[in-house]
PDB file of all heavy atoms in Angstrom:
ATOM      1  N   LEU F   3     -12.910-130.623 -25.952  1.00 70.00           N
ATOM      2  CA  LEU F   3     -13.523-129.935 -24.837  1.00 70.00           C
ATOM      3  C   LEU F   3     -13.116-130.460 -23.503  1.00 70.00           C
ATOM      4  O   LEU F   3     -13.533-129.960 -22.492  1.00 70.00           O
ATOM      5  CB  LEU F   3     -15.018-130.065 -24.938  1.00 70.00           C
ATOM      6  CG  LEU F   3     -15.682-129.574 -26.264  1.00 70.00           C
ATOM      7  CD1 LEU F   3     -17.194-129.795 -26.243  1.00 70.00           C
ATOM      8  CD2 LEU F   3     -15.417-128.057 -26.513  1.00 70.00           C
ATOM      9  N   ASN F   5     -10.453-130.076 -21.801  1.00 83.00           N
ATOM     10  CA  ASN F   5      -9.710-129.146 -20.919  1.00 83.00           C
ATOM     11  C   ASN F   5     -10.676-128.106 -20.286  1.00 83.00           C
ATOM     12  O   ASN F   5     -10.138-127.260 -19.556  1.00 83.00           O
ATOM     13  CB  ASN F   5      -8.601-128.417 -21.641  1.00 83.00           C
ATOM     14  CG  ASN F   5      -9.075-127.638 -22.813  1.00 83.00           C
ATOM     15  OD1 ASN F   5     -10.147-127.867 -23.371  1.00 83.00           O
ATOM     16  ND2 ASN F   5      -8.280-126.657 -23.268  1.00 83.00           N
ATOM     17  N   LEU F   6     -11.941-128.172 -20.453  1.00 89.00           N
ATOM     18  CA  LEU F   6     -12.894-127.326 -19.897  1.00 89.00           C
ATOM     19  C   LEU F   6     -13.428-127.847 -18.552  1.00 89.00           C
ATOM     20  O   LEU F   6     -13.536-129.063 -18.420  1.00 89.00           O
ATOM     21  CB  LEU F   6     -14.066-127.036 -20.823  1.00 89.00           C
ATOM     22  CG  LEU F   6     -13.741-126.426 -22.225  1.00 89.00           C
ATOM     23  CD1 LEU F   6     -14.982-126.265 -22.976  1.00 89.00           C
ATOM     24  CD2 LEU F   6     -12.971-125.120 -22.133  1.00 89.00           C
ATOM     25  N   ASN F   7     -13.818-126.970 -17.661  1.00 90.00           N
ATOM     26  CA  ASN F   7     -14.558-127.429 -16.463  1.00 90.00           C
ATOM     27  C   ASN F   7     -15.969-127.653 -16.810  1.00 90.00           C
ATOM     28  O   ASN F   7     -16.450-127.433 -17.976  1.00 90.00           O
ATOM     29  CB  ASN F   7     -14.369-126.470 -15.320  1.00 90.00           C
ATOM     30  CG  ASN F   7     -15.073-125.142 -15.560  1.00 90.00           C
ATOM     31  OD1 ASN F   7     -16.072-124.999 -16.192  1.00 90.00           O
ATOM     32  ND2 ASN F   7     -14.453-124.077 -14.953  1.00 90.00           N
ATOM     33  N   GLN F   8     -16.703-128.217 -15.843  1.00 92.00           N
ATOM     34  CA  GLN F   8     -18.157-128.581 -16.128  1.00 92.00           C
ATOM     35  C   GLN F   8     -18.953-127.452 -16.554  1.00 92.00           C
ATOM     36  O   GLN F   8     -19.800-127.588 -17.450  1.00 92.00           O
ATOM     37  CB  GLN F   8     -18.698-129.243 -14.824  1.00 92.00           C
ATOM     38  CG  GLN F   8     -18.157-130.596 -14.486  1.00 92.00           C
ATOM     39  CD  GLN F   8     -18.499-131.667 -15.494  1.00 92.00           C
ATOM     40  OE1 GLN F   8     -19.605-131.728 -15.996  1.00 92.00           O
ATOM     41  NE2 GLN F   8     -17.507-132.545 -15.758  1.00 92.00           N
ATOM     42  N   GLU F   9     -18.796-126.297 -15.962  1.00 92.00           N
ATOM     43  CA  GLU F   9     -19.591-125.141 -16.300  1.00 92.00           C
ATOM     44  C   GLU F   9     -19.278-124.618 -17.703  1.00 92.00           C
ATOM     45  O   GLU F   9     -20.161-124.329 -18.481  1.00 92.00           O
ATOM     46  CB  GLU F   9     -19.321-124.007 -15.283  1.00 92.00           C
ATOM     47  CG  GLU F   9     -19.800-124.361 -13.891  1.00 92.00           C
ATOM     48  CD  GLU F   9     -19.263-123.363 -12.881  1.00 92.00           C
ATOM     49  OE1 GLU F   9     -18.333-122.677 -13.166  1.00 92.00           O
ATOM     50  OE2 GLU F   9     -19.841-123.304 -11.724  1.00 92.00           O
ATOM     51  N   GLN F  10     -17.947-124.548 -18.042  1.00 93.00           N
ATOM     52  CA  GLN F  10     -17.513-124.151 -19.372  1.00 93.00           C
ATOM     53  C   GLN F  10     -18.013-125.136 -20.446  1.00 93.00           C
ATOM     54  O   GLN F  10     -18.486-124.725 -21.496  1.00 93.00           O
ATOM     55  CB  GLN F  10     -16.007-123.985 -19.428  1.00 93.00           C
ATOM     56  CG  GLN F  10     -15.447-122.906 -18.587  1.00 93.00           C
ATOM     57  CD  GLN F  10     -13.935-122.990 -18.385  1.00 93.00           C
ATOM     58  OE1 GLN F  10     -13.309-124.055 -18.546  1.00 93.00           O
ATOM     59  NE2 GLN F  10     -13.274-121.857 -18.076  1.00 93.00           N
ATOM     60  N   LEU F  11     -17.944-126.419 -20.126  1.00 94.00           N
ATOM     61  CA  LEU F  11     -18.361-127.448 -21.033  1.00 94.00           C
ATOM     62  C   LEU F  11     -19.817-127.388 -21.346  1.00 94.00           C
ATOM     63  O   LEU F  11     -20.198-127.472 -22.503  1.00 94.00           O
ATOM     64  CB  LEU F  11     -18.007-128.847 -20.482  1.00 94.00           C
ATOM     65  CG  LEU F  11     -18.413-130.056 -21.313  1.00 94.00           C
ATOM     66  CD1 LEU F  11     -17.756-130.028 -22.706  1.00 94.00           C
ATOM     67  CD2 LEU F  11     -18.087-131.378 -20.598  1.00 94.00           C
ATOM     68  N   ALA F  12     -20.599-127.179 -20.294  1.00 94.00           N
ATOM     69  CA  ALA F  12     -22.074-127.037 -20.487  1.00 94.00           C
ATOM     70  C   ALA F  12     -22.446-125.904 -21.380  1.00 94.00           C
ATOM     71  O   ALA F  12     -23.313-125.986 -22.223  1.00 94.00           O
ATOM     72  CB  ALA F  12     -22.711-126.936 -19.119  1.00 94.00           C
ATOM     73  N   ALA F  13     -21.718-124.818 -21.181  1.00 94.00           N
ATOM     74  CA  ALA F  13     -21.995-123.580 -21.988  1.00 94.00           C
ATOM     75  C   ALA F  13     -21.563-123.818 -23.398  1.00 94.00           C
ATOM     76  O   ALA F  13     -22.255-123.562 -24.447  1.00 94.00           O
ATOM     77  CB  ALA F  13     -21.309-122.387 -21.384  1.00 94.00           C
ATOM     78  N   ALA F  14     -20.267-124.279 -23.614  1.00 93.00           N
ATOM     79  CA  ALA F  14     -19.725-124.417 -24.910  1.00 93.00           C
ATOM     80  C   ALA F  14     -20.443-125.447 -25.785  1.00 93.00           C
ATOM     81  O   ALA F  14     -20.464-125.304 -27.014  1.00 93.00           O
ATOM     82  CB  ALA F  14     -18.209-124.869 -24.842  1.00 93.00           C
ATOM     83  N   SER F  15     -21.115-126.418 -25.187  1.00 94.00           N
ATOM     84  CA  SER F  15     -21.851-127.441 -25.928  1.00 94.00           C
ATOM     85  C   SER F  15     -23.361-127.290 -25.859  1.00 94.00           C
ATOM     86  O   SER F  15     -24.124-128.221 -26.072  1.00 94.00           O
ATOM     87  CB  SER F  15     -21.422-128.844 -25.430  1.00 94.00           C
ATOM     88  OG  SER F  15     -21.732-128.973 -24.005  1.00 94.00           O
ATOM     89  N   ALA F  16     -23.797-126.060 -25.512  1.00 95.00           N
ATOM     90  CA  ALA F  16     -25.243-125.789 -25.387  1.00 95.00           C
ATOM     91  C   ALA F  16     -25.931-126.013 -26.757  1.00 95.00           C
ATOM     92  O   ALA F  16     -25.361-125.787 -27.796  1.00 95.00           O
ATOM     93  CB  ALA F  16     -25.426-124.382 -24.890  1.00 95.00           C
ATOM     94  N   GLY F  28     -12.257-113.550 -14.544  1.00 89.00           N
ATOM     95  CA  GLY F  28     -11.295-114.629 -14.402  1.00 89.00           C
ATOM     96  C   GLY F  28     -11.839-116.038 -14.540  1.00 89.00           C
ATOM     97  O   GLY F  28     -11.151-117.007 -14.154  1.00 89.00           O
ATOM     98  N   THR F  29     -12.999-116.230 -15.128  1.00 91.00           N
ATOM     99  CA  THR F  29     -13.603-117.546 -15.194  1.00 91.00           C
ATOM    100  C   THR F  29     -13.414-118.270 -16.520  1.00 91.00           C
ATOM    101  O   THR F  29     -13.978-119.297 -16.812  1.00 91.00           O
ATOM    102  CB  THR F  29     -15.156-117.455 -14.952  1.00 91.00           C
ATOM    103  OG1 THR F  29     -15.718-116.536 -15.860  1.00 91.00           O
ATOM    104  CG2 THR F  29     -15.400-117.009 -13.522  1.00 91.00           C
ATOM    105  N   GLY F  30     -12.563-117.703 -17.423  1.00 91.00           N
ATOM    106  CA  GLY F  30     -12.243-118.348 -18.684  1.00 91.00           C
ATOM    107  C   GLY F  30     -13.256-118.073 -19.818  1.00 91.00           C
ATOM    108  O   GLY F  30     -13.603-118.919 -20.617  1.00 91.00           O
ATOM    109  N   LYS F  31     -13.595-116.839 -19.881  1.00 92.00           N
ATOM    110  CA  LYS F  31     -14.625-116.398 -20.900  1.00 92.00           C
ATOM    111  C   LYS F  31     -14.048-116.626 -22.320  1.00 92.00           C
ATOM    112  O   LYS F  31     -14.760-117.236 -23.109  1.00 92.00           O
ATOM    113  CB  LYS F  31     -14.885-114.891 -20.731  1.00 92.00           C
ATOM    114  CG  LYS F  31     -15.415-114.188 -21.833  1.00 92.00           C
ATOM    115  CD  LYS F  31     -15.678-112.717 -21.559  1.00 92.00           C
ATOM    116  CE  LYS F  31     -14.389-111.911 -21.601  1.00 92.00           C
ATOM    117  NZ  LYS F  31     -13.871-111.693 -22.932  1.00 92.00           N
ATOM    118  N   SER F  33     -11.695-118.688 -23.314  1.00 93.00           N
ATOM    119  CA  SER F  33     -11.554-120.121 -23.630  1.00 93.00           C
ATOM    120  C   SER F  33     -12.943-120.728 -23.970  1.00 93.00           C
ATOM    121  O   SER F  33     -12.988-121.569 -24.826  1.00 93.00           O
ATOM    122  CB  SER F  33     -10.994-120.852 -22.393  1.00 93.00           C
ATOM    123  OG  SER F  33      -9.676-120.360 -22.075  1.00 93.00           O
ATOM    124  N   THR F  34     -13.973-120.288 -23.263  1.00 95.00           N
ATOM    125  CA  THR F  34     -15.306-120.834 -23.557  1.00 95.00           C
ATOM    126  C   THR F  34     -15.813-120.402 -24.913  1.00 95.00           C
ATOM    127  O   THR F  34     -16.416-121.227 -25.633  1.00 95.00           O
ATOM    128  CB  THR F  34     -16.259-120.338 -22.420  1.00 95.00           C
ATOM    129  OG1 THR F  34     -15.762-120.723 -21.143  1.00 95.00           O
ATOM    130  CG2 THR F  34     -17.635-120.974 -22.601  1.00 95.00           C
ATOM    131  N   ALA F  37     -13.932-122.453 -27.467  1.00 94.00           N
ATOM    132  CA  ALA F  37     -14.384-123.821 -27.434  1.00 94.00           C
ATOM    133  C   ALA F  37     -15.778-123.899 -28.100  1.00 94.00           C
ATOM    134  O   ALA F  37     -16.065-124.940 -28.746  1.00 94.00           O
ATOM    135  CB  ALA F  37     -14.467-124.299 -26.004  1.00 94.00           C
ATOM    136  N   ARG F  38     -16.640-122.932 -27.947  1.00 95.00           N
ATOM    137  CA  ARG F  38     -17.897-122.892 -28.564  1.00 95.00           C
ATOM    138  C   ARG F  38     -17.812-122.896 -30.098  1.00 95.00           C
ATOM    139  O   ARG F  38     -18.439-123.677 -30.802  1.00 95.00           O
ATOM    140  CB  ARG F  38     -18.758-121.694 -28.129  1.00 95.00           C
ATOM    141  CG  ARG F  38     -20.061-121.578 -28.798  1.00 95.00           C
ATOM    142  CD  ARG F  38     -21.008-122.736 -28.525  1.00 95.00           C
ATOM    143  NE  ARG F  38     -22.361-122.524 -29.091  1.00 95.00           N
ATOM    144  CZ  ARG F  38     -23.347-123.386 -28.951  1.00 95.00           C
ATOM    145  NH1 ARG F  38     -23.143-124.525 -28.193  1.00 95.00           N
ATOM    146  NH2 ARG F  38     -24.577-123.171 -29.461  1.00 95.00           N
ATOM    147  N   PHE F 236     -25.091-116.727 -28.877  1.00 97.00           N
ATOM    148  CA  PHE F 236     -24.214-117.136 -27.810  1.00 97.00           C
ATOM    149  C   PHE F 236     -23.600-115.932 -27.254  1.00 97.00           C
ATOM    150  O   PHE F 236     -22.550-115.433 -27.717  1.00 97.00           O
ATOM    151  CB  PHE F 236     -23.147-118.139 -28.356  1.00 97.00           C
ATOM    152  CG  PHE F 236     -22.411-118.865 -27.281  1.00 97.00           C
ATOM    153  CD1 PHE F 236     -22.870-119.993 -26.677  1.00 97.00           C
ATOM    154  CD2 PHE F 236     -21.141-118.440 -26.876  1.00 97.00           C
ATOM    155  CE1 PHE F 236     -22.169-120.703 -25.695  1.00 97.00           C
ATOM    156  CE2 PHE F 236     -20.422-119.119 -25.852  1.00 97.00           C
ATOM    157  CZ  PHE F 236     -20.927-120.262 -25.275  1.00 97.00           C
ATOM    158  N   THR F 270     -23.840-120.132 -16.232  1.00 93.00           N
ATOM    159  CA  THR F 270     -23.006-119.280 -15.343  1.00 93.00           C
ATOM    160  C   THR F 270     -21.656-119.955 -15.129  1.00 93.00           C
ATOM    161  O   THR F 270     -21.531-121.182 -14.815  1.00 93.00           O
ATOM    162  CB  THR F 270     -23.626-119.056 -13.964  1.00 93.00           C
ATOM    163  OG1 THR F 270     -24.933-118.543 -14.191  1.00 93.00           O
ATOM    164  CG2 THR F 270     -22.823-118.094 -13.148  1.00 93.00           C
ATOM    165  N   LEU F 271     -20.579-119.188 -15.408  1.00 94.00           N
ATOM    166  CA  LEU F 271     -19.216-119.637 -15.127  1.00 94.00           C
ATOM    167  C   LEU F 271     -18.842-119.065 -13.738  1.00 94.00           C
ATOM    168  O   LEU F 271     -18.600-117.839 -13.616  1.00 94.00           O
ATOM    169  CB  LEU F 271     -18.242-119.155 -16.212  1.00 94.00           C
ATOM    170  CG  LEU F 271     -18.622-119.454 -17.669  1.00 94.00           C
ATOM    171  CD1 LEU F 271     -17.513-119.024 -18.617  1.00 94.00           C
ATOM    172  CD2 LEU F 271     -18.880-120.944 -17.855  1.00 94.00           C
ATOM    173  N   THR F 273     -16.302-120.535 -11.608  1.00 91.00           N
ATOM    174  CA  THR F 273     -14.977-120.880 -11.128  1.00 91.00           C
ATOM    175  C   THR F 273     -13.946-119.883 -11.606  1.00 91.00           C
ATOM    176  O   THR F 273     -13.686-119.733 -12.801  1.00 91.00           O
ATOM    177  CB  THR F 273     -14.586-122.319 -11.596  1.00 91.00           C
ATOM    178  OG1 THR F 273     -15.641-123.238 -11.211  1.00 91.00           O
ATOM    179  CG2 THR F 273     -13.245-122.703 -11.007  1.00 91.00           C
ATOM    180  N   TYR F 275     -10.212-118.545 -12.009  1.00 90.00           N
ATOM    181  CA  TYR F 275      -8.879-119.068 -12.106  1.00 90.00           C
ATOM    182  C   TYR F 275      -7.827-118.010 -11.870  1.00 90.00           C
ATOM    183  O   TYR F 275      -6.636-118.300 -12.005  1.00 90.00           O
ATOM    184  CB  TYR F 275      -8.677-119.665 -13.541  1.00 90.00           C
ATOM    185  CG  TYR F 275      -9.515-120.885 -13.714  1.00 90.00           C
ATOM    186  CD1 TYR F 275     -10.746-120.766 -14.396  1.00 90.00           C
ATOM    187  CD2 TYR F 275      -9.073-122.125 -13.329  1.00 90.00           C
ATOM    188  CE1 TYR F 275     -11.557-121.893 -14.542  1.00 90.00           C
ATOM    189  CE2 TYR F 275      -9.872-123.285 -13.508  1.00 90.00           C
ATOM    190  CZ  TYR F 275     -11.084-123.160 -14.132  1.00 90.00           C
ATOM    191  OH  TYR F 275     -11.877-124.277 -14.322  1.00 90.00           O
TER     192      TYR F 275
END
Side-chain angles (χ1 to χ4, degrees):
L3 303 177
N5 60 337
L6 303 180
N7 66 33
Q8 290 293 321
E9 296 167 343
Q10 294 168 334
L11 178 61
S15 58
T29 56
K31 161 180 77 73
S33 297
T34 304
R38 175 64 175 183
F236 192 84
T270 305
L271 307 184
T273 305
Y275 293 94

